[in-house]
Every structure is written in structure tokens, then in C-alpha cells.
Amino acid sequence: MMNELFNCLARICEEHAEQLADWPVVKESDPDAIRDYLSPFDFSHPRPLVDLTAQMASGLQQWNVHVPHPRYFGLFNPAASQASVAADALAALFNPQLAVWAHAPFANEVETHVLRYFARQLHYPETASVQFTSGGSEANHAAVLAALAHHFQRYLQDGLAALSRKPVMYISEEGHHSFEKIIKNVGLGLNGLRRITVDSRQQMDVEMLRRQMQEDRANGYEPFMIVATAGTTGTGAVDPLKELRTLADEAGAWLHVDAAWAGTALLVESIKQALNGIGSADSVTMDAHKWLSVSMGAGMFFCRHPQTVQAAFGLQAGYMPSQSSAEPYLTGLQWSRRFIGLKAFMTLAHLGENGIRQQMEQQLSLADLLHRSLQQRGWQVLNESPVGVVCFSHPGLRQDAALTDWLYQLTLQKGDFWLSTYSIRGVKAFRACITSTHTTEEDVEALVDFLDSTLRIKLGCV
Ligand SMILES: *Cc1c(COP(=O)(O)O)cnc(C)c1O
């Protein structure tokens, strides 16, 4: 039975590898068609697992944006490594419970092993608190809770209401919107999150931040945290990390670096330089399920202050077999913990550091190719990003958001490519990032070709 099932899964994997490039990246999905497909599954009788597996694979193939596709130029969603597929199956099979070390010694050590590897890239001390999270959002949430616990003595016991000055935190206008969810959920409300303007390169304006902090202090607020983004979602900008460290020190504030996309690429020399200073942060977010090409969800949280983390998340539960205050369920938001780290470990071990580095460098060089190829055809690249995000427009489109929308919708309808749009300095631009390890030069040229020739026909300048 197992044999038959895994033969079926192996066939699905091979078909996926062989046929993926021929499938449309994106296809309009009719919810009624999907519901019709699912309606025979009323759970009234059992079904053979092999058939069921094939039916679910077929559904995923038909109604899905295929993010591993070589022509998906999307929002940081990778083609998952082969090692991830094996790791996810093993994690389900053994289903280790990582909440306490003693329940899953091997699994916990695997996670720590790979987390320490990334902590070393940050030059964090061996004592740093490290953990896997569901994703970047959860890691960012943990950072805000740790920063609050660190800054306000009464916060953990008496809550926000006991504080005499209202806490405020800072992030650039381009920073990730998970912080809006977080600030609402920690009870500070959206006014507790100050959005700081960016300069012409989309980096946080440090002078504006300094002024805003002074003004806030004068008005009775307590600045407790600065979030720097190392690789913004919209344009791939990196905030000035060293200057923000200096300012955070002057203000006695926590510095968190949200490096969800770019953090795992620190082993690439150009990224290491672009993210210079990241290791001085009090805490850092990285996502293994982005540039490391690990399946979702796999975020990572690193914090220099293990005591603060234990204070923020610690408690005593008589029914838990805990032996130390550093047990995984006492150092983060999760309780039951799935074996998230195995896919990161196996991906690194399978491809090796050099293999991963080459993969990332290849994606960066394809982003360069996209940049050059667009410019050769008279398109304009509107951003400058060290992490491979390319935002672009055309002189015939810049003033015409409706025409941009038209071309964008046509691209998605055609289904050969997926990319997004993003407004930069008032111009609605196309945004592309090479996220799939299957993307080649030919795929990049095909995207430029398609956009350019379609626009030329529309503008009547063939
Ligand atoms: C992706 C991303 C997030 C959100 O992470 P999830 O893994 O989607 O929860 C936060 N910040 C940045 C900069 C990101 O790129």
C-alpha cells in the first residue's frame, strides 16, 4: 500500500518537474468549477488513497498560480527545493512534537544546528535566542513583544495600561504591513506605528526619523523600537542599518531588522555588503521559505537577548514536561511545534553552501539581465535594489496608469507570466523578481519581449 502510494507521489513529482514549464503560470479560476470538483467528496464513504492523491494533485495543477514556474516573477515565493519535498514527508511521518526538547531531541537539534548556522552569518553570540516560526510575520510579532518586554518593566505584569507614556515604534513607509497587524494585536493601535518617509532610493530617511522621535518624546510618547527593513517587498530597498543602530542607541530603542527576503542570502558577498550592520540589531527576521527556496512556511527569529525572550514568552504549565526555561514552547508564540527546520537543514545539506550561493547569484544575475534588457528596449528601471527586485515602466506608460493596468491584466490573462505592479514615486510600475530556481535567461528575455512588443502594437509604433 505504502509502495503504491509513494509510486503515485513519485509520478506526480516527475510530471510536475517535466510539465511545469508548459502549464500556464496563472489561469483564471472559476470558484463554481472548483466547488463542483469538490462536491462528490461528501465524506460519506472511504476512498482509495492513491486515487485521492491523484485527484488532489490534479486540482492543484488546474486551479493554482504556479509559483515554482520559471516564468513566475513574483512576490518572493520560491520553487521549493527537492529536499523540502522529502523533508515535509518525513516531518509528517514522524510528526515530532518540538514543544519541549526531550520530546524531540533529534528534531530540536536539527533546528538549532541550522539556526546557529544563520546566527553565525549575523555574528550573533552563541547564546542568542533562535527559533523557527511559521513565517516572517510571526517572527516580526515575536520581535515587537520582546522589544516591549525589554523596554517597559511593567509591561509583562500590568500590561500597557500601566505605562505612563504611550509606546510608539517606527518603520519606513516601505516597511512590511505585517507590522500593522501586529501593532493592532499588541494593543497599541495603528497610531502606535509611525511610518517614516523614504528618500529617493526608498530607504528610510534617518533625519526624518530623528525629528519624529524628538517630537514624539516632547508629546509624551515613548519611542521603544525601530524596525529597519533589509529588502523591502515593493522595491527591494535596504534601510541604512548602521545609522539606524546609532540612532536606536541614542534613543535607547530596540532595533529590529526585517530581512525576511534577503536575510538567507547573506552568504552572497554583494548581499553581505548591502546588509552591512545587520548583525548589530537586537533581533532579526529571516524567511527560509523565500530566497533559500524552502517550502512554506519557514520563518526564523534571532534575538541577541535570550533572557528578554524567555521573560516575554515564559510561563509555568504543570502538565508540560519542561526541564528548562529555554524550551521551545517557552521562547516563542507557538505551543505545539511542527518540524519546520528539517527542510531548511536538508536543503542546505543537499546543495551545500556553494550550491545555494550559486543559485542565489544566478537569480541576481538574471535580475541584472532583466534590467539591461529593459533599458535596451527603451524601458526605464525606477528603483535601485541590491536584492534583485526590478520595478520598471516605459515612457509611453509612465503617465498612464490605465494603460499600465491594461497591459498588466492582458499579461495575466494570457497566462504565460506572473508579475506584480507597484507604485513608486507616483508611477505605477511593473515589479519583477526572480524567485524560481528554474528561471533561465530565455524566460527573462521572453518577458521583456512580450511586454515590449505588446505595448508597441498598442501604441502604434511597431
Ligand atoms: C515576506 C515578508 C514578510 C512576511 O513574511 P511571511 O513569511 O509572509 O509571514 C515580512 N517582511 C518582509 C520584508 C517580507 O518580505
Side-chain angles (χ1 to χ4, degrees):
M1 177 59 218
M2 262 326 213
N3 229 346
E4 211 189 329
L5 176 63
F6 279 90
N7 283 339
C8 166
L9 274 172
R11 225 172 23 249
I12 291 167
C13 290
E14 299 216 325
E15 275 171 21
H16 189 270
E18 281 163 16
Q19 299 171 6
L20 175 65
D22 299 325
W23 297 341
V25 186
V26 48
K27 204 170 69 179
E28 208 171 337
S29 290
D30 172 9
D32 287 334
I34 303 172
R35 286 164 200 159
D36 286 347
Y37 189 81
L38 294 178
S39 66
F41 298 91
D42 59 3
F43 312 133
S44 61
H45 60 277
R47 289 167 180 271
L49 191 50
V50 170
D51 296 354
L52 184 58
T53 303
Q55 284 161 327
M56 291 302 109
S58 165
L60 279 164
Q61 194 258 314
Q62 292 180 69
W63 296 292
N64 191 34
V65 175
H66 292 292
V67 302
H69 197 289
R71 295 190 176 183
Y72 177 82
F73 295 95
L75 289 163
F76 302 153
N77 303 306
S81 62
Q82 278 182 5
S84 298
V85 179
D88 274 343
L90 281 176
L93 180 65
F94 285 87
N95 201 26
Q97 168 58 284
L98 280 78
V100 290
W101 187 91
H103 240 61
F106 183 74
N108 269 302
E109 289 298 323
V110 164
E111 290 206 335
T112 307
H113 188 87
V114 66
L115 288 162
R116 293 266 168 245
Y117 170 81
F118 285 108
R120 281 197 295 280
Q121 321 255 345
L122 293 171
H123 301 291
Y124 262 29
E126 275 293 304
T127 51
S129 177
V130 294
Q131 64 187 273
F132 275 97
T133 60
S134 57
S137 293
E138 185 195 325
N140 286 340
H141 197 158
V144 174
L145 292 169
L148 281 169
H150 188 79
H151 200 90
F152 301 98
Q153 269 189 359
R154 296 189 63 189
Y155 169 68
L156 292 176
Q157 194 61 39
D158 301 316
L160 290 172
L163 306 179
S164 54
R165 294 164 74 85
K166 189 173 178 211
V168 279
M169 59 177 287
Y170 303 84
I171 189 171
S172 91
E173 289 173 329
E174 297 287 315
H176 197 265
H177 288 73
S178 54
F179 286 98
E180 292 187 6
K181 249 193 226 182
I182 294 162
I183 204 83
K184 288 194 277 188
N185 282 302
V186 298
L188 285 172
L190 286 172
N191 291 334
L193 182 70
R194 302 280 197 254
R195 289 279 191 177
I196 304 300
T197 49
V198 292
D199 61 18
S200 60
R201 294 159 73 200
Q202 317 298 115
Q203 299 172 324
M204 179 150 29
D205 183 329
V206 180
E207 258 330 291
M208 289 297 283
L209 171 61
R210 188 189 303 276
R211 260 183 270 155
Q212 183 69 48
M213 287 172 93
Q214 275 164 2
E215 192 185 313
D216 284 337
R217 249 184 226 295
N219 288 325
Y221 291 96
E222 180 68 16
F224 75 99
M225 182 180 200
I226 299 170
V227 175
T229 311
T232 58
T233 314
T235 71
V238 178
D239 288 335
L241 304 179
K242 286 187 157 172
E243 292 167 55
L244 292 172
R245 177 71 268 175
T246 306
L247 185 53
D249 284 340
E250 284 166 20
W254 182 283
L255 179 68
H256 176 70
V257 176
D258 181 1
W261 159 244
T264 59
L266 276 171
L267 56 158
V268 173
E269 192 53 38
S270 67
I271 302 289
K272 196 166 142 190
Q273 307 220 336
L275 271 57
N276 193 6
I278 187 174
S280 69
D282 296 286
S283 56
V284 173
T285 288
M286 297 183 197
D287 265 341
H289 67 218
K290 287 182 177 166
W291 216 339
L292 195 63
S293 295
V294 159
S295 57
M296 285 180 266
M300 295 183 276
F301 178 62
F302 303 87
C303 180
R304 280 184 166 273
H305 313 288
Q307 258 93 38
T308 300
V309 173
Q310 285 168 31
F313 299 104
L315 46 82
Q316 283 182 345
Y319 45 84
M320 292 294 285
S322 342
Q323 286 166 1
S324 96
S325 50
E327 295 287 8
Y329 85 106
L330 298 174
T331 55
L333 283 156
Q334 297 182 27
W335 200 284
S336 290
R337 298 180 68 88
R338 83 180 239 99
F339 193 6
I340 296 169
L342 183 62
K343 48 201 176 186
F345 182 101
M346 285 180 64
T347 300
L348 274 162
H350 175 221
L351 299 174
E353 191 179 83
N354 270 331
I356 298 274
R357 184 183 297 117
Q358 276 165 18
Q359 209 168 270
M360 291 168 167
E361 283 171 349
Q362 167 72 1
Q363 288 172 314
L364 280 170
S365 85
L366 289 174
D368 278 345
L369 173 69
L370 175 62
H371 193 134
R372 287 195 312 274
S373 180
L374 284 162
Q375 282 180 331
Q376 275 163 14
R377 307 279 193 106
W379 290 64
Q380 297 159 330
V381 174
L382 306 179
N383 70 323
E384 240 177 88
S385 168
V387 303
V389 177
V390 186
C391 296
F392 55 96
S393 185
H394 186 275
L397 284 176
R398 278 189 77 130
Q399 311 299 332
D400 198 339
L403 189 57
T404 304
D405 276 334
W406 170 83
L407 182 53
Y408 182 64
Q409 291 308 330
L410 186 77
T411 307
L412 295 197
Q413 272 160 27
K414 207 159 170 290
D416 294 343
F417 306 94
W418 196 94
L419 75 172
S420 59
T421 58
Y422 192 69
S423 282
I424 169 164
R425 292 185 298 275
V427 178
K428 185 156 191 183
F430 290 97
R431 176 203 177 280
C433 183
I434 285 82
T435 52
S436 168
T437 41
H438 308 310
T439 304
T440 63
E441 293 188 359
E442 198 189 322
D443 298 309
V444 170
E445 298 286 10
L447 173 68
V448 178
D449 245 5
F450 171 76
L451 292 174
D452 191 55
S453 56
T454 312
L455 182 64
R456 274 169 198 282
I457 291 166
K458 179 78 174 174
L459 295 174
C461 51
V462 196

